[in-house]
Amino acid sequence: MDLFGFVDLNELALGLSHLPLFPYFDMAHYIVSVMSLREQPGVLEVSQRSPFACWFSSMLYCFGGAVLSAIMMADAPVAPLSNSTNLLLASLMWYLVFYCPLDFIYSLASIFPVRLFLTGMKEMTRTWKVLGGVTQAGRKYKDGLFVMIAVGWAKGAGGGLIRNFEQLVRGVWKPETNELLKMTYPTKVTLLGAVVFSLQQCRYLPIQTHHLIFIYTLFIVTNKTRMMLLGSSSNPFSVLESVLYKTLFVRPLTFAPLSDPTPSSGQSGSVSQKHNKPNGSRSSRTRDRTPHAQKTK
């Protein structure tokens, strides 16, 4: 791109694309993921009642994207756990976040500047997860654009997409929290990354891979930092989502209603009259019998 040549950012983009994630960036990803699990309602009780269930839920938070993408690619779901080094590192972070004496690690990581730094490092790993899923699908399905998007999305946001299954591990069933019903910001920004990287891999987007890595990483880290600094849950997609929804998915008023209409007042009145008639005739027969009974007496 001309911008990279003009500002001389090509070396920076190349350096970022070759940045090793292990161990520091992976460690930040595991710490922030396990902290997110710990802050869910009822998780601390589960950690005391069943440490194994707590550990299993933590591993789903850490490796959920790799597990889901492996299932979609017809690979073994346990294949992502075959890397013993990463599994042991994630397990160590789980133990320190939940069971460290005096909650030292969790308290330290909860300090805002520290958590902001760790979250930025975690967002950087999202780029490589999305790109890894896209290239993995591209090797098996040449120019399979939608397959590449789906696998890249699953690998980058799988922890959120399989949240209902993770909740079942803890004995919780909340189908209303399905990520597809109400997408969170990480799921949306991961879908955006899967789309742009898939378009680039299929030659529909004229940009080099390391340049796109730099732009996307800068975008997600900047937005996440802004949201944390402002304490806001709004995301840059809100306006676009609102316009697309109102343009494409709102039912026009000329259409028939989705539910059956309620009975009209005339129908309800006739029904009530029908129900009242037997009562009226019964009371009139009672009045007719009363004088006859008195005469007999």
Side-chain angles (χ1 to χ4, degrees), residues 22-144:
F22 184 86
Y24 302 110
F25 288 90
D26 285 339
M27 188 183 302
H29 167 68
Y30 299 148
I31 292 175
V32 175
S33 298
V34 176
M35 288 178 65
S36 300
L37 173 64
R38 173 176 168 147
E39 293 165 358
Q40 298 298 315
V43 172
L44 287 178
E45 289 78 2
V46 174
S47 67
Q48 298 300 312
R49 187 172 67 251
S50 176
F52 178 75
C54 180
W55 173 83
F56 194 77
S57 294
S58 299
M59 296 305 102
L60 290 177
Y61 261 71
C62 296
F63 302 103
V67 171
L68 182 59
S69 62
I71 295 174
M72 295 178 66
M73 295 295 294
D75 295 332
V78 296
L81 305 179
S82 61
N83 190 328
S84 302
T85 304
N86 283 340
L87 184 62
L88 289 174
L89 181 61
S91 300
L92 177 61
M93 296 303 105
W94 158 77
Y95 184 83
L96 292 177
V97 169
F98 275 96
Y99 302 104
C100 182
L102 303 178
D103 263 349
F104 177 74
I105 297 298
Y106 178 76
S107 301
L108 177 63
S110 297
I111 299 174
F112 185 75
V114 177
R115 184 154 191 172
L116 184 66
F117 184 72
L118 292 174
T119 303
M121 295 177 68
K122 180 183 184 299
E123 288 301 308
M124 292 181 67
T125 65
R126 188 184 305 277
T127 303
W128 277 264
K129 293 178 186 299
V130 174
L131 180 59
V134 169
T135 54
Q136 179 186 3
R139 286 193 297 266
K140 190 171 183 179
Y141 302 97
K142 297 294 183 182
D143 297 327

Side-chain angles (χ1 to χ4, degrees), residues 190-201:
T190 304
L191 178 59
L192 173 65
V195 171
V196 295
F197 278 112
S198 299
L199 292 174
Q200 189 271 335
Q201 293 291 313

